[in-house]
Amino acid sequence: MRLFLAAALLALPTALRAAPISFDEALRLAEIRAPELRAREASVDAATSAAIAADRLPDPKLDLAIKDLPVTGPDAGRFNRDDFTMQVIGISQEFINPAKRRARALRAHADIDVAEAEQAVAAQDIRLATALAWIDLHYAKRRLKELDLLDGELDDLQATVSARLASGAARPAQALEPEQLRAQLADRRSALTADIARYRAQLTRFTGDTAADTTGDLPPLAVDGDALRAGLAALPLLRAYDARTLAADAETGLARADKRPDWTVNAAYGRREPNFGDLVTVGVTIDLPLFAKKRQDPRIAARASEATRARLDREAAEREVAAALSADLAMHRMHDEQLANARTRLVPLAKQRAQLDLESFGARRLDLGTALLSTLALAEAEVDALAREGEVARDAVRIIFTYGEARR
């Protein structure tokens, strides 16, 4: 069904898919259209199909032979002239010992678990990358809008300067100062425009929309550190390590099963010269694992060591994830405090200073350059506050999608 929906969406005309998308819609499109996820689905299908035949017996074998044909003497190269030559047809079936078949089945199901775990990890990575691309584009557009608002304020300031020039209250060089500020804003605008193009390309990369754009606001993102720590064991990354550990245990069981013999049952019918009777042969062939100390036991020890390594790798991964979560939570708290400082202190102070300087300029108590610098500082404070807000949102998304519930 998911592949069908993906094909249907990809078949839509580009014009129908060019509308801006919300945060949740971007995640949904990435989940449907990302080729990495479809590749992982194919891996799960392959492992599931392979598991069907994992514990089955081998195919029977048909034996066709001519036995005891003379190659010297008076009957050389001639059939049915003595009582030895036979035309034989037979069939044989190999029977794998039940322990080995069970071990192969466990190994095949472990492969399915590994494929599903890798699929979950890939899905988590795609959703995280899509969410971050959406947030980066959303906040870059908002920062650009702030610069546009400042550009509009400069028009009013330019009119004030022109009036003062006409009255002779300002120096001619002061008429250039608003334009210099516009040139500085143009540099900032160029950088933001490039960022927007880069973030839009990232969003297109995951959603498949050639004209990807954002709409709406970011959904509320609550970060609960205690709940995240309690649920670390269920992370796709750690589940992948668990699946690899089960696969290593299955390999160990398969190596142990090699110490139990397999056997083959065979039957054959031999047709001789009509003067002599036909023959029937029935037999059993049994493996003899007599030298286990130098054959099976070393392989068992090797597989057991690999299983131990898998468990230790899983423990190391869990410790690393726990440490990374603590570090990310600390960074998130820091960015949240910086955002609060910008909203409650830096921006209001910059706004108050810019207003006072403009009033002083209007009252001819301050030069235009200082007033413009205060206006630029206000714009930078507001843009910086948006950047901090975007950083807090990125932290929250990265933490929730990495350590918490990845599917919204």
Side-chain angles (χ1 to χ4, degrees), residues 75-393:
D75 294 327
R78 302 174 66 181
F79 293 97
N80 298 329
R81 293 301 300 271
D82 58 30
D83 59 348
F84 296 108
T85 302
M86 289 185 295
Q87 301 171 23
V88 178
I89 180 171
I91 189 169
S92 61
Q93 173 66 59
E94 183 180 4
F95 289 89
I96 307 298
N97 73 77
K100 185 181 293 185
R101 292 175 62 186
R102 287 193 298 270
R104 288 179 178 178
L106 290 174
R107 182 65 177 87
H109 284 89
D111 288 340
I112 296 175
D113 293 339
V114 170
E116 290 177 344
E118 291 177 348
Q119 180 188 19
V121 171
Q124 185 183 42
D125 292 342
I126 291 296
R127 286 193 296 271
L128 175 59
T130 304
L132 293 179
W134 192 96
I135 289 173
D136 289 339
L137 179 57
H138 175 74
Y139 281 99
K141 289 168 55 181
R142 290 182 60 183
R143 294 198 300 273
L144 183 60
K145 187 176 180 180
E146 287 292 332
L147 293 183
D148 292 338
L149 292 176
L150 178 60
D151 217 6
E153 294 176 359
L154 287 179
D155 292 337
D156 298 335
L157 190 59
Q158 183 70 58
T160 301
V161 173
S162 299
R164 295 188 63 178
L165 284 173
S167 65
R171 293 179 289 107
Q174 289 181 332
L176 302 177
E177 292 179 346
E179 292 301 323
Q180 289 178 329
L181 183 55
R182 278 197 177 92
Q184 296 178 22
L185 293 179
D187 289 340
R188 298 286 298 272
R189 184 180 290 104
S190 296
L192 275 175
T193 301
D195 288 340
I196 288 173
R198 179 160 54 90
Y199 300 144
R200 181 172 284 119
Q202 284 294 314
L203 195 57
T204 298
R205 150 87 175 86
F206 297 110
T207 63
D209 276 340
T210 56
D213 201 357
T214 61
T215 187
D217 295 325
L218 188 68
L221 299 171
V223 178
D224 187 343
D226 293 335
L228 292 173
R229 290 188 181 91
L232 286 182
L235 291 183
L237 175 64
L238 296 183
R239 292 206 309 268
Y241 276 99
D242 291 336
R244 295 188 187 101
T245 301
L246 292 177
D249 288 338
E251 287 285 356
T252 304
L254 191 58
R256 289 196 179 98
D258 282 338
K259 297 184 74 172
R260 300 187 180 186
D262 301 330
W263 63 91
T264 302
V265 176
N266 51 74
Y269 182 86
R271 181 176 178 277
R272 300 196 295 175
E273 199 273 333
N275 293 329
F276 304 98
D278 296 340
L279 300 176
V280 173
T281 301
V282 178
V284 177
T285 303
I286 302 176
D287 293 339
L288 298 177
L290 300 178
F291 305 98
K293 289 185 178 181
K294 292 188 177 181
R295 294 179 180 173
Q296 287 82 11
D297 288 348
R299 288 197 293 267
I300 294 172
R303 298 296 178 267
S305 296
E306 291 176 356
T308 300
R309 183 195 66 183
R311 285 182 172 81
L312 293 174
D313 287 344
R314 200 275 186 196
E315 181 181 353
E318 184 173 10
R319 292 185 181 184
E320 182 178 359
V321 167
L325 173 59
S326 297
D328 288 343
L329 288 173
M331 292 295 294
H332 182 51
R333 286 192 296 270
M334 179 193 72
H335 290 151
D336 198 45
E337 291 171 358
Q338 290 178 343
L339 173 60
N341 186 49
R343 285 175 173 172
T344 60
R345 300 183 63 186
L346 296 180
V347 172
L349 288 173
K351 185 177 297 184
Q352 185 178 4
R353 178 175 180 178
Q355 184 64 32
L356 291 174
D357 284 349
L358 285 177
E359 291 175 357
S360 298
F361 169 71
R364 302 181 182 182
R365 294 194 302 270
L366 189 69
D367 65 281
L368 179 61
T370 302
L372 289 176
L373 289 176
S374 296
T375 302
L376 179 60
L378 172 59
E380 290 180 342
E382 290 174 338
V383 171
D384 180 67
L386 279 176
R388 295 185 184 192
E389 182 180 335
E391 194 64 37
V392 170

